[in-house]
Amino acid sequence: MIDTNLASFDDDVLAVSHQVPVLADFWAPWCGPCNALGPLLEKLEAEAQGRLRLVKINADENAQLCADYGVRSLPTVVAFVDGEPVDQFVGALPEGQLRAFIERVVPNPADMARRVAREAIAEGRPEVARDALQAALALDPAHDEIRLDLVDVLIEMGDLAGARTELALISPRTAAGGNVRIAALETRLAAAEQASHLPPAAQLLQRVQAEPDNLQAQLDLANRYLADHAYEQALETLLGIVQRDRTFGDDVGRKSMLAVFDALSSADPATVATWRRKLSAALN
């Protein structure tokens, strides 16, 4: 628990809330319910073991913050997540209701580990992401979305056997009904497995140039590009297959492009948007 004011609010509340949820407790020394609520909030913050930050704001000394967040009665507690107020309550809630409020805004440990993994991926640290996701699954083995995140990371790292093992552990319920994300990961994994037996891209390109009508040669080249993370070249090659023959390989050109879009959707949305337009034009 820390005290903050207008000058330090951005650092103490908004910035920290990008890491863990923050409860901003607007209170005043003369407020009896505030003095009853404060120790209970501190107790629950300690129980949360780092999954929650409590920040106290003296309303008498911070009228501007009270105005900014619509505080008209004390105590008022505002929950912040990712720099935004997401929930609040007024008055001294009993412990049961307070716990329920906290459960709504505080992610479970597995989801927090998943957040760490996403940040590591954005920073280009796949090993950290893998370790965080494995830790998350140790906490919640039935969390299929986290397992799919791990499959994604393992494919990017080239651990194809590990990715295949994790994909096989997805629950039948999640796998049923044509799950789009699973289909995309299956396509990427199959492409990477095939590429592991292929020669370098330069050699495959020579074959494509020598045999321009050989769509299998083009697919091999695309798979090699995917394994090398040369996504623009892979998409260009796959689009060529789509333009030549939609039926080739059970529409493998289009399906592979969609798998690449899924892989790049967060890291490079501009590239995805460009190639989606090109694919759409080829299909219409």
Side-chain angles (χ1 to χ4, degrees), residues 139-206:
L139 295 166
D140 189 357
H143 201 315
D144 283 337
E145 286 302 315
I146 292 178
R147 196 173 300 279
L148 291 175
D149 289 347
L150 179 57
V151 171
D152 196 339
V153 170
L154 292 174
I155 293 173
E156 288 298 305
M157 294 179 65
D159 184 358
L160 306 184
R164 182 62 69 185
T165 297
E166 295 295 339
L167 200 54
L169 294 175
I170 297 297
S171 70
R173 179 177 180 179
T174 299
N179 184 292
V180 174
R181 190 178 183 199
I182 292 177
L185 288 170
E186 284 275 15
T187 300
R188 286 176 55 211
L189 180 55
E193 289 169 338
Q194 294 172 23
S196 66
H197 304 292
L198 293 172
Q203 185 175 335
L204 292 168
L205 181 59
Q206 289 179 350

Side-chain angles (χ1 to χ4, degrees), residues 25-251:
D25 175 20
F26 290 85
W27 72 293
W30 49 263
C31 170
C34 298
N35 293 322
L37 179 65
L40 185 54
L41 287 171
E42 293 177 26
K43 170 190 171 182
L44 297 181
E45 180 193 29
E47 289 182 6
Q49 297 182 328
R51 296 188 296 125
L52 170 71
R53 176 72 61 84
L54 173 62
V55 176
K56 296 180 72 66
I57 301 167
N58 188 324
D60 289 344
E61 299 173 355
N62 293 279
Q64 184 61 57
L65 286 175
C66 290
D68 289 345
Y69 293 100
V71 175
R72 296 181 177 85
S73 299
L74 298 180
T76 292
V77 175
V78 182
F80 290 82
V81 175
D82 291 332
E84 299 291 338
V86 296
D87 204 348
Q88 70 176 53
F89 67 85
V90 177
L93 297 184
E95 184 170 341
Q97 293 182 31
L98 186 54
R99 288 184 181 276
F101 176 84
I102 289 175
E103 287 176 4
R104 291 201 303 270
V105 298
V106 176
N108 65 41
D111 287 333
M112 290 189 68
R114 190 184 191 192
R115 176 183 291 224
V116 170
R118 287 177 172 173
E119 292 174 353
I121 291 169
E123 295 167 357
R125 298 186 295 158
E127 294 85 0
V128 174
R130 176 200 59 202
D131 293 347
L133 291 169
Q134 288 173 339
L137 286 171
L139 295 166
D140 189 357
H143 201 315
D144 283 337
E145 286 302 315
I146 292 178
R147 196 173 300 279
L148 291 175
D149 289 347
L150 179 57
V151 171
D152 196 339
V153 170
L154 292 174
I155 293 173
E156 288 298 305
M157 294 179 65
D159 184 358
L160 306 184
R164 182 62 69 185
T165 297
E166 295 295 339
L167 200 54
L169 294 175
I170 297 297
S171 70
R173 179 177 180 179
T174 299
N179 184 292
V180 174
R181 190 178 183 199
I182 292 177
L185 288 170
E186 284 275 15
T187 300
R188 286 176 55 211
L189 180 55
E193 289 169 338
Q194 294 172 23
S196 66
H197 304 292
L198 293 172
Q203 185 175 335
L204 292 168
L205 181 59
Q206 289 179 350
R207 182 184 174 196
V208 168
Q209 292 170 340
E211 305 173 34
D213 295 328
N214 187 338
L215 295 185
Q216 183 59 52
Q218 294 184 35
L219 181 59
D220 288 345
L221 177 60
N223 287 337
R224 179 73 267 171
Y225 282 143
L226 289 176
D228 295 341
H229 298 171
Y231 295 116
E232 291 266 11
Q233 294 94 319
L235 288 167
E236 182 176 5
T237 305
L238 291 167
L239 184 62
I241 295 173
V242 172
Q243 292 169 330
R244 293 289 295 275
D245 186 356
R246 279 286 307 280
T247 66
F248 174 73
D250 190 25
D251 202 13

